[in-house]
Structure formats: structure tokens, C-alpha cells
């Protein structure tokens, strides 16, 4: 697993044998995937594809007191506009004095493609350091400089002694992979190589000489209860507070990384007793390297969404710390209170039908949540499939009759499915929800930074909001009556997966 000495991490097609094209039942996906037969499946026609650079930015632009330099044409830099306001707002929720999101684009043009863009990058790094005095400068490498051979790491090495900020090169050019979740590995790779460094022990703790033996013991005990919770940028601050509440009930000290953390937060992260993942798709690269380099154990099994998976997440953590009995009491009390609060909503939602779309871990746990509140889950659409989905598929009730479409985007497949399945609700990630709404189907976002989604309080808030959405569906009906999707009628009569070449998936 030791890729840290390399400038770039491997893509997930190679590292995890991930797949991004499949259509069939959950059981068929898991059975075929466990045989290793899905890695080479492809589409004979593809409509859209996610970009690794943009997804890397979903982590990197959240790091406080940093400047992000997007080394590429202005179009790549323009993606920063979609992050600006919200990212700045959520910076300030963690630190009221935060500067907010600052990014620079090197604006490569035709001349730079011929002559190289290294000089522009050098000028951008020096400008960022002098103008903003950040703790770190994150250099994001897009497709163009990768293709023309700009030596990003060489530029960084040459300038590091001239800048006060830590320089963090991240290689996330979009053309390298069709599994856009490889972006998480690229972002973590840059963090691991440049922001993590285990402090020297030698009788010191956090830079201070501790001579009192009692204080040393107290510090060791505190460290033994430290946990890193690896958050995701699309979760809310309310989600963090809910998970912190549950973990503090187990008397644990919680640090959230990497999103919205300060660069200085990464170094003491190596003092944690346990790394706790919220999403295996997001975190496996990071926690496995921390285990290998610093011998920090990790929890990577599920995501705390819904009653069953939140309970499993808590029990896994509690078992590590010998707090199983306390966790069981907490889970019992929280579940009892939540079930009582959900009862009136379950009566209203019983028998409703839903299709879900998003990251594989999120949609499978969210599918269980929707089943719990009375929905029939017709199908799920995952951005990709890899080994981390198998345990969740195995535990999903009614998986034999639930459709699974592996697709990053591909709205033409989704349009066909929605026309055939006609769900009462579509639950999706940002970027593709509008397509469903245009077919007259009410939409609920799977992750919103203003919505408490995780843990027990998250399940209650989600259920309450879903009930509200379904009380008035006129908006989506009006959209359908006034907007026509760009697909011929013949397409809706075809197999939605007819453009997936499964000849290699034996």
C-alpha cells in the first residue's frame, strides 16, 4: 500500500479494480463483482463523466488558511466559482476569523501549451505567499500541464525555501481516470506527503517539556481517547455536532479531518488512538497509510446514516475502546426516542416508492433508512462500484428485487429508468437532480451542507423534510409540463442498459 514515495497515487481502476458501468440487480452486481469480472466493463456510448480535479477540490478548497492554485486554463479555474460562497461560510462556522476560500488560476493559454507553464506557476506561488500569507498553498495540477509535461514537483521543491507557506502539490488531472473517486486519493496523497509529520517524542509532548510524571500520565490517557473523524465536504456542521455528541457520550476526544481543518491540525492527528471513517469510498487510502506509517488503527465499515448503520458505526468504535455496554445503552435510548418521534411520519410515508443516486456507500445506507421509514426502494444508482459496497449490499433487505445502476452521471440512463419505474421520489446528489425534476418527479437532495443528515437527529430531520416535499409536488409537475428532455420516444422503450458492454463481465 506504500505509494507515498511516489509523486502520484494509482487510479482506482488499478488499485481497487473499480467499475463505473453496470445495470442489473444488487445481487447480480455483488456476485459478479466478487469474481473480479466488472473492472473492464464499459459503455459503447457515454453522455457525461465526472472530473477528478473538481472532486479533489471538494476536499482541498475546505482547508482553512490556504490558497488553492489551479494550474491550468481558465476553464478549470472557473470551477472555483461554484465553491466560493458556501466554502467561505463553512470556514467561518469552524473559525469566525477564517479568511474564507481563496483561489488563483494560472490561466494557461495556447502559448503556454507550446512553451510550458512553469514560469506562470512560479509567479502564482510567490504572489500567493506574499499577498495572502497563508499557512499552506495547494497546487492543483489539471490536464493541460500534465499533458505538456510541466514539472510541478520540481517547481515546488525549488520554491519551498523561499516561501513561508507549506507547498502542497496535488496531481488530479481529470483524464487519468474514469472513477472520479480517485480524486480523494489524490487529495489525501498531497496531504500525507506534505502536511503530516509525527512530532518528536524525546520527553516532549506538543513541543513542551513535561517533567511531572502525573502530567505525563494524564497526557498519555488523553491521547488514548483521541479520535480522528474523517468528514466529507458535503456533510453539514450540524452532522459533525451530532456525531461529536454521540462520541463524547463514550468519553472520546474528537478531531474532524480533513474538511474545514487548518493545515496545522494534520500534524497532531498522528497522536490519535483511532481513525474513524465516515465513508470508505472517501477515506480508505488515507487511513491505510496512517496505519502503515504510524500504526494508527481505523474503523472503515459503514457510514452513520439511519438507525442500523449509526448503531453499527458506534458499536465498532465502542468495541475498540472497551465501551460496548455503554454504547449499547446509548443506542437503545436513542433508538427508542427516535422511533417514537418517527411514528407519525412512517404512517404518512408507508408504501411510497423511491430511486436513489449518489456515492455507493451513501446510497446503500440511505436506502436502508428509507426502507425504515416506510418506502419501497426501487433502485439505486452508484457513481462507481468497488469492494466496499459488498457488505452493505449483503445486509440490504430485499436486495434481490432492488435494481443497481453503476453510472457517473449518464442522465440518459437515468431518464429511461425513471420513465420505467415512476417512483414517488428521487433522492440524488447535487448535479443530476434537475434531470429528475424535469420528468415530474419530486426531488430530495441526498447531501446538503445545510441539512443534518447523519446520526439519530439526522434521520429525524431527513424524514421530516421528505414528508414536507411529498405534501406538495406541484413544482415538479409544472416542470414536466413545460420542459421536454432531449431524448426520442424510442429511447424510453429500450433497455436502459443497452449501451453497457458487459461481454467481459462473465
Amino acid at each position: 500500500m506504500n505509494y507515498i514515495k511516489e509523486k502520484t497515487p494509482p487510479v482506482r481502476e488499478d488499485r481497487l479494480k473499480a467499475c463505473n458501468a453496470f445495470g442489473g440487480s444488487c445481487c447480480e452486481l455483488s456476485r459478479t463483482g466478487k469474481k473480479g469480472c466488472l473492472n473492464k466493463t464499459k459503455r459503447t456510448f457515454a453522455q457525461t463523466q465526472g472530473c477528478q480535479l473538481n472532486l479533489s477540490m471538494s476536499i482541498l478548497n475546505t482547508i482553512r488558511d490556504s490558497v488553492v492554485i489551479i494550474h491550468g486554463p481558465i476553464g478549470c479555474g472557473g470551477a472555483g466559482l461554484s465553491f466560493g460562497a458556501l466554502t467561505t461560510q463553512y470556514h467561518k462556522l469552524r473559525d469566525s476569523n477564517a479568511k474564507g476560500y481563496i483561489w488563483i488560476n494560472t490561466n494557461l493559454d495556447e502559448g503556454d501549451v507550446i512553451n510550458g507553464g512553469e514560469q506562470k506557476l512560479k509567479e502564482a506561488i510567490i504572489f500567493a505567499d506574499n499577498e495572502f500569507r497563508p499557512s499552506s498553498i495547494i497546487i492543483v495540477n489539471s490536464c493541460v500541464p500534465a499533458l505538456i509535461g510541466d514539472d510541478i514537483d520540481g517547481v515546488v521543491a525549488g520554491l519551498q525555501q523561499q516561501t513561508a507557506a507549506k507547498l502542497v502539490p496535488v496531481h488530479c488531472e481529470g483524464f487519468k481516470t474514469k472513477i472520479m473517486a480517485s480524486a480523494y486519493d489524490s487529495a489525501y496523497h498531497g496531504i500525507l506527503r506534505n502536511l503530516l509529520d509525527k512530532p518528536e517524542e524525546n520527553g516532549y509532548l506538543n513541543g513542551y517539556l513535561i517533567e511531572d510524571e502525573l502530567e505525563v500520565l494524564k497526557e498519555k490517557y488523553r491521547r488514548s481517547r483521541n479520535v480522528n473523524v474523517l468528514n466529507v465536504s458535503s456533510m453539514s456542521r450540524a452532522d459533525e455536532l451530532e456525531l461529536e455528541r454521540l462520541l463524547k457520550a463514550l468519553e472520546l476526544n474528537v478531531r474532524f479531518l480533513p474538511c474545514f481543518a487548518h493545515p496545522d491540525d494534520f500534524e497532531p492527528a498522528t497522536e490519535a488512538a483511532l481513525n474513524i471513517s465516515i465513508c470508505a469510498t472517501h477515506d480508505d487510502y488515507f487511513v491505510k497509510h496512517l496505519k502503515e506509517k504510524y500504526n494508527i488503527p481505523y474503523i472503515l465499515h459503514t457510514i452513520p446514516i439511519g438507525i442500523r448503520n449509526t448503531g453499527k458505526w458506534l458499536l465498532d468504535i465502542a468495541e475498540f475502546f472497551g465501551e460496548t455496554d455503554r454504547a449499547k445503552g446509548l443506542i437503545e435510548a436513542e433508538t427508542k426516542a427516535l422511533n417514537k418521534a418517527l411514528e407519525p411520519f412512517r404512517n404518512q410515508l408507508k408504501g411510497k416508492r423511491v430511486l436513489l443516486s449518489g456515492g455507493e456507500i451513501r446510497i446503500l445506507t440511505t436506502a436502508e433508512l428509507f426502507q425504515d421509514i416506510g418506502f419501497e426502494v426501487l433502485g439505486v444508482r452508484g457513481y462507481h462500484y468497488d469492494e466496499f459496497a459488498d457488505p452493505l449490499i449483503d445486509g440490504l433487505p430485499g436486495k434481490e428485487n432492488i435494481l443497481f445502476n453503476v453510472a457517473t452521471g449518464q442522465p440518459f440512463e437515468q431518464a429511461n429508468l425513471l420513465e420505467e419505474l415512476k417512483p414517488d421520489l428521487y433522492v440524488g446528489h447535487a448535479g443530476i437532480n434537475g434531470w429528475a425534476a424535469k420528468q415530474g418527479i419530486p426531488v430530495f437532495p441526498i447531501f446538503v451542507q445545510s441539512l443534518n443528515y447523519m446520526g439519530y437527529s439526522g434521520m429525524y430531520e431527513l424524514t421530516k423534510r421528505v414528508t414536507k416535499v411529498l405534501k406538495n409536488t406541484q413544482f415538479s409537475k409544472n416542470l414536466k409540463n413545460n420542459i421536454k428532455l432531449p431524448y426520442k420516444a424510442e429511447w424510453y422503450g429500450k433497455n436502459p442498459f443497452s449501451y453497457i458492454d458487459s461481454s467481459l463481465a462473465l
Side-chain angles (χ1 to χ4, degrees):
M1 180 75 187
N2 188 9
Y3 305 114
I4 297 304
K5 293 181 180 179
E6 305 297 327
K7 291 182 180 179
T8 61
V11 297
R12 293 203 177 186
E13 290 95 327
D14 298 331
R15 186 171 71 84
L16 294 175
K17 307 303 179 187
C19 152
N20 77 332
F22 177 83
S25 71
C26 285
C27 291
E28 184 184 356
L29 172 66
S30 184
R31 174 182 57 80
T32 312
K34 287 175 181 177
K35 291 180 179 179
C37 299
L38 291 177
N39 183 228
K40 300 298 182 181
T41 54
K42 59 183 180 181
R43 286 182 170 79
T44 55
F45 167 77
Q47 193 174 17
T48 62
Q49 175 62 52
C51 174
Q52 184 186 196
L53 182 147
N54 277 338
L55 197 57
S56 293
M57 293 288 289
S58 71
I59 294 178
L60 300 172
N61 66 27
T62 69
I63 298 177
R64 304 196 316 271
D65 195 21
S66 297
V67 174
V68 176
I69 296 177
I70 303 171
H71 186 41
I74 197 167
C76 297
L81 292 170
S82 64
F83 298 120
L86 266 180
T87 301
T88 295
Q89 177 186 349
Y90 285 101
H91 279 194
K92 291 184 178 295
L93 281 177
R94 278 74 176 184
D95 177 5
S96 60
N97 296 317
K99 299 175 184 176
Y101 177 41
I102 302 171
W103 87 98
I104 295 172
N105 183 215
T106 54
N107 193 16
L108 300 184
D109 56 25
E110 291 90 342
D112 300 314
V113 172
I114 298 170
N115 299 314
E118 292 180 12
Q119 184 58 35
K120 279 190 172 180
L121 179 58
K122 291 177 184 178
E123 292 171 1
I125 292 172
I126 293 170
F127 171 79
D129 191 56
N130 292 336
E131 180 73 14
F132 303 107
R133 308 306 292 175
S135 294
S136 68
I137 298 173
I138 301 167
I139 300 97
V140 178
N141 195 28
S142 70
C143 295
V144 170
L147 288 169
I148 64 178
D150 279 359
D151 183 7
I152 308 303
D153 293 87
V155 171
V156 166
L159 289 178
Q160 183 60 85
Q161 297 302 317
Q162 303 175 40
T163 56
K166 292 181 180 178
L167 304 184
V168 183
V170 176
H171 296 268
C172 54
E173 49 269 31
F175 66 84
K176 287 181 64 175
T177 177
K178 291 184 178 180
I179 307 297
M180 67 178 187
S182 298
Y184 299 135
D185 303 347
S186 294
Y188 274 134
H189 192 80
I191 290 169
L192 285 161
R193 279 170 59 91
N194 299 282
L195 294 181
L196 261 78
D197 189 19
K198 192 174 180 67
E200 294 290 336
E201 298 295 339
N202 298 330
Y204 288 81
L205 289 173
N206 295 330
Y208 297 95
L209 180 62
I210 299 179
E211 297 178 345
D212 189 297
E213 291 185 7
L214 179 59
E215 291 302 313
V216 171
L217 291 173
K218 286 181 178 179
E219 179 65 13
K220 286 183 177 179
Y221 176 76
R222 182 189 65 80
R223 289 189 181 189
S224 74
R225 309 294 288 187
N226 286 352
V227 296
N228 297 324
V229 177
L230 304 177
N231 58 1
V232 295
S233 62
S234 52
M235 65 189 282
S236 68
R237 178 58 178 157
D239 283 323
E240 290 182 352
L241 294 174
E242 166 67 355
L243 299 185
E244 187 174 26
R245 176 184 74 88
L246 295 172
L247 294 178
K248 281 190 172 181
L250 302 179
E251 297 187 355
L252 301 178
N253 307 313
V254 180
R255 182 194 303 273
F256 286 99
L257 295 170
C259 297
F260 305 105
H262 189 278
D264 293 344
D265 293 336
F266 289 95
E267 187 174 286
T270 58
E271 300 171 5
L274 182 68
N275 283 316
I276 302 171
S277 170
I278 283 178
C279 175
T281 292
H282 190 268
D283 302 325
D284 86 292
Y285 189 86
F286 190 58
V287 297
K288 288 175 181 176
H289 276 94
L290 289 179
K291 170 65 175 174
E292 184 174 309
K293 188 173 182 181
Y294 300 118
N295 199 32
I296 304 174
Y298 59 85
I299 300 292
L300 194 67
H301 297 151
T302 189
I303 187 169
I305 292 174
I307 291 175
R308 191 180 81 88
N309 285 294
T310 298
K312 187 177 186 309
W313 187 77
L314 280 171
L315 282 173
D316 284 344
I317 298 164
E319 183 179 356
F320 177 85
F321 289 100
E323 298 283 0
T324 302
D325 290 341
R326 185 185 300 205
K328 285 181 177 178
L330 174 65
I331 292 166
E332 182 180 356
E334 294 283 339
T335 301
K336 182 178 179 181
L338 179 57
N339 279 327
K340 184 177 180 180
L342 291 176
E343 188 174 344
F345 298 109
R346 284 180 170 134
N347 293 333
Q348 297 177 59
L349 299 173
K350 186 176 181 179
K352 298 290 186 181
R353 305 158 80 237
V354 64
L355 178 73
L356 303 101
S357 177
E360 57 172 354
I361 307 299
R362 303 183 194 190
I363 55 171
L364 288 167
T365 50
T366 305
E368 279 201 42
L369 184 156
F370 272 85
Q371 288 177 328
D372 195 357
I373 59 177
F375 276 82
E376 177 188 355
V377 176
L378 301 175
V380 292
R381 303 185 74 238
Y383 288 156
H384 74 277
Y385 160 82
D386 57 33
E387 63 192 58
F388 299 113
D390 290 332
L392 296 174
I393 291 175
D394 292 342
L396 183 64
K399 58 183 177 292
E400 303 83 4
N401 300 313
I402 297 176
L403 177 143
F404 202 121
N405 176 207
V406 180
T408 308
Q410 311 305 332
F412 74 100
E413 283 181 359
Q414 177 178 288
N416 186 310
L417 283 172
L418 290 173
E419 184 69 20
E420 178 184 343
L421 298 174
K422 292 183 170 54
D424 299 298
L425 182 70
Y426 175 88
V427 178
H429 216 309
I432 201 167
N433 291 345
W435 291 94
K438 290 174 183 179
Q439 289 182 263
I441 298 167
V443 168
F444 186 82
I446 195 168
F447 259 55
V448 181
Q449 289 169 318
S450 60
L451 169 66
N452 180 200
Y453 188 93
M454 295 184 179
Y456 298 105
S457 64
M459 181 172 181
Y460 175 78
E461 183 170 343
L462 183 148
T463 304
K464 183 174 64 174
R465 293 196 181 204
V466 165
T467 305
K468 185 177 181 180
V469 166
L470 290 177
K471 281 184 177 179
N472 186 350
T473 61
Q474 194 59 46
F475 175 73
S476 50
K477 291 177 182 176
N478 288 341
L479 279 180
K480 181 180 181 180
N481 292 335
N482 291 278
I483 295 176
K484 185 178 180 181
L485 294 184
Y487 308 118
K488 294 182 178 180
E490 292 83 358
W491 167 237
Y492 296 109
K494 293 183 69 173
N495 181 334
F497 311 126
S498 56
Y499 289 103
I500 295 177
D501 182 0
S502 57
S503 60
L504 296 173
L506 302 177

